[in-house]
């Protein structure tokens, strides 16, 4: 199965490329990027052709593409890839508006191609074990949840609203909304949020706190931020606490780490020894294409997670509870 990567603007592109090179029966065949220096550097690193335009890459015999561009470009690239009859793994957030996301979903449906949203946290071993505990009834009926996704400010285009569509509240909300929806098979119905800028002097949100009501009656909170400093030993966290009628469970998606001390370079850092979430995501995407299965993480899943983040912005501006749908 041949893959192309459309843009290396998002740092996850490098991890995805590394995973493709480790996967049997799969290989990276080409890279396109509207930034020639960035695209050519990535092409040299992975020893594959560089294409100056997305259209040139899509004209090749690749079976699927991974889109890792700036968020606002996801729509145009998904539509172009669908028209070229390529299966698509799109970096999160799927888009920056619900109208764009629906258009992307419909275009892929019409073209008969797979559209999968890149939510690798689903493939974390602790998160998957939590899913099993919930499904087997060990926690009883879920009453409430609390999640966090707090990381470092990525800088670059991420802090340019016209390219990213939003700051930490968009960037670090969608992952954990997806996990909560996945655990319960229920959507968020109401959002109240506070959104602020506390850690940077740039005019973009870098923290927030939201209270969520799900359609099944469960209440939850979520803490998204870019609050970790550059010296922090890992980029951030993705945690969830679930309280049920029979018990409580806590999972840390990045909890499988070694504490590494060295007299060279960084004195202390965390080293992940657990399952590579990105590899699990790509492995599942390849399986759904080869076996003609519905993606485990659909475009609709991406849309539902994104609309909660957008509702949080609306609530932050109005200081009112926002009802979704």
């Amino acid at each position: 199965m041949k893959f192309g990567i459309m843009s290396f603007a998002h740092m996850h592109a490098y991890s995805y490329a590394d995973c493709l090179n480790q996967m049997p029966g799969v290989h990276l065949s080409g890279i396109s990027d509207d930034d020639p220096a960035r695209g050519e550097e990535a092409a040299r690193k992975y020893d594959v052709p560089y294409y100056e335009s997305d259209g040139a890459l899509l004209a090749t015999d690749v079976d699927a593409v991974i889109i890792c561009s700036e968020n606002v470009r996801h729509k145009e690239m998904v539509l172009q890839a669908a028209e070229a009859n390529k299966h698509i793994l799109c970096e999160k957030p799927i888009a920056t508006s619900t109208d764009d996301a629906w258009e992307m979903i419909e275009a892929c449906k019409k073209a008969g191609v797979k559209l999968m949203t890149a939510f690798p946290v689903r493939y974390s071993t602790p998160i998957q074990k939590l899913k099993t505990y919930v499904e087997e009834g060990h926690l009883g009926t879920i009453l409430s949840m609390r999640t966090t996704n707090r990381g470092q400010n990525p800088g670059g285009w991420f802090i340019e609203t016209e390219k990213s569509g939003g700051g930490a509240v968009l960037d670090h909300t969608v992952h954990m909304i997806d996990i909560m929806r996945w655990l319960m098979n229920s959507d968020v119905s109401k959002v109240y949020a506070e959104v602020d800028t506390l850690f940077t002097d740039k005019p973009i949100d870098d923290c927030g706190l939201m209270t969520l009501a799900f359609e099944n009656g469960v209440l939850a909170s979520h803490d998204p931020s870019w609050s970790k400093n550059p010296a922090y030993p890992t980029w951030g966290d993705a945690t969830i606490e679930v309280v049920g009628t029979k018990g409580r469970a806590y999972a840390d998606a990045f909890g499988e780490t070694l504490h590494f001390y060295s007299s060279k370079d960084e004195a202390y850092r965390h080293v992940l020894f657990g399952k590579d979430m990105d590899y699990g995501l790509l492995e599942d995407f390849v399986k759904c294409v080869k076996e003609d299965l519905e993606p485990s993480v659909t475009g609709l899943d991406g849309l539902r997670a994104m609309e909660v983040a957008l509702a949080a912005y609306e609530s932050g501006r109005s200081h009112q509870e926002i009802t979704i749908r």
Side-chain angles (χ1 to χ4, degrees), residues 60-78:
T60 69
D61 63 348
V62 295
D63 302 291
V65 293
I66 305 174
I67 294 174
C68 293
S69 65
E70 299 86 348
N71 299 339
V72 297
R73 297 192 62 217
H74 287 177
K75 174 189 170 182
E76 65 179 82
M77 297 173 87
V78 165

Side-chain angles (χ1 to χ4, degrees), residues 233 256-260 269-274:
E256 298 175 299
T257 58
L258 299 173
H259 299 271
F260 184 77
R269 60 190 173 94
H270 291 179
V271 180
L272 182 69
F273 68 82

Side-chain angles (χ1 to χ4, degrees), residues 64-194:
V65 293
I66 305 174
I67 294 174
C68 293
S69 65
E70 299 86 348
N71 299 339
V72 297
R73 297 192 62 217
H74 287 177
K75 174 189 170 182
E76 65 179 82
M77 297 173 87
V78 165
L79 297 184
Q80 196 174 2
E83 187 176 358
N85 200 37
K86 310 298 183 183
H87 300 292
I88 304 159
L89 176 63
C90 184
E91 184 54 65
K92 62 80 191 169
I94 189 172
T96 55
S97 76
T98 53
D99 286 346
D100 284 355
W102 278 119
E103 188 174 348
M104 294 156 66
I105 291 167
E106 290 302 317
C108 291
K109 182 179 179 180
K110 181 178 179 181
V113 299
K114 313 292 183 186
L115 173 60
M116 186 166 179
T117 307
F119 282 146
V121 177
R122 284 204 195 189
Y123 300 88
S124 157
T125 300
I127 297 296
Q128 290 188 331
K129 287 184 177 180
L130 175 61
K131 172 73 167 174
T132 299
Y133 291 156
V134 170
E135 289 180 338
E136 292 179 350
H138 296 296
L139 302 180
T141 301
I142 294 177
L143 302 174
S144 65
M145 293 182 290
R146 180 173 60 184
T147 61
T148 70
N149 192 354
R150 302 164 295 195
Q152 297 172 344
N153 187 324
W157 63 264
F158 285 89
I159 59 174
E160 299 175 19
T161 307
E162 66 276 12
K163 294 182 180 179
S164 64
V169 170
L170 178 60
D171 190 37
H172 277 187
T173 290
V174 291
H175 280 300
M176 301 315 294
I177 296 299
D178 178 66
I179 294 303
M180 289 189 277
R181 291 184 63 252
W182 182 53
L183 287 177
M184 298 188 299
N185 296 312
S186 182
D187 282 313
V188 176
S189 60
K190 296 179 181 179
V191 180
Y192 178 80
E194 294 291 339

Side-chain angles (χ1 to χ4, degrees), residues 13 18 58 60 78 98 155 166 207 210 228 243-245 254 262 281 296:
D18 290 338
L58 293 169
T60 69
V78 165
T98 53
C207 62
M210 59 189 72
K228 303 298 185 184
V243 178
T245 54
F254 299 94
S262 173
L281 171 73
S296 301

Side-chain angles (χ1 to χ4, degrees), residues 6-21:
M6 297 171 66
S7 182
F8 269 67
H10 199 296
M11 68 284 290
H12 286 173
Y14 293 93
S15 176
Y16 297 149
D18 290 338
C19 291
L20 291 175
N21 284 339

Side-chain angles (χ1 to χ4, degrees), residues 9-71:
H10 199 296
M11 68 284 290
H12 286 173
Y14 293 93
S15 176
Y16 297 149
D18 290 338
C19 291
L20 291 175
N21 284 339
Q22 299 169 31
M23 203 170 291
V26 174
H27 65 276
L28 179 60
S29 297
I31 290 167
S32 63
D33 201 307
D34 64 347
D35 182 330
R38 184 174 62 203
E40 289 172 357
E41 180 183 3
R44 284 193 298 270
K45 177 179 174 65
Y46 294 105
D47 192 25
V48 297
Y50 164 67
Y51 297 92
E52 292 185 353
S53 71
D54 298 326
L57 172 62
L58 293 169
T60 69
D61 63 348
V62 295
D63 302 291
V65 293
I66 305 174
I67 294 174
C68 293
S69 65
E70 299 86 348
N71 299 339

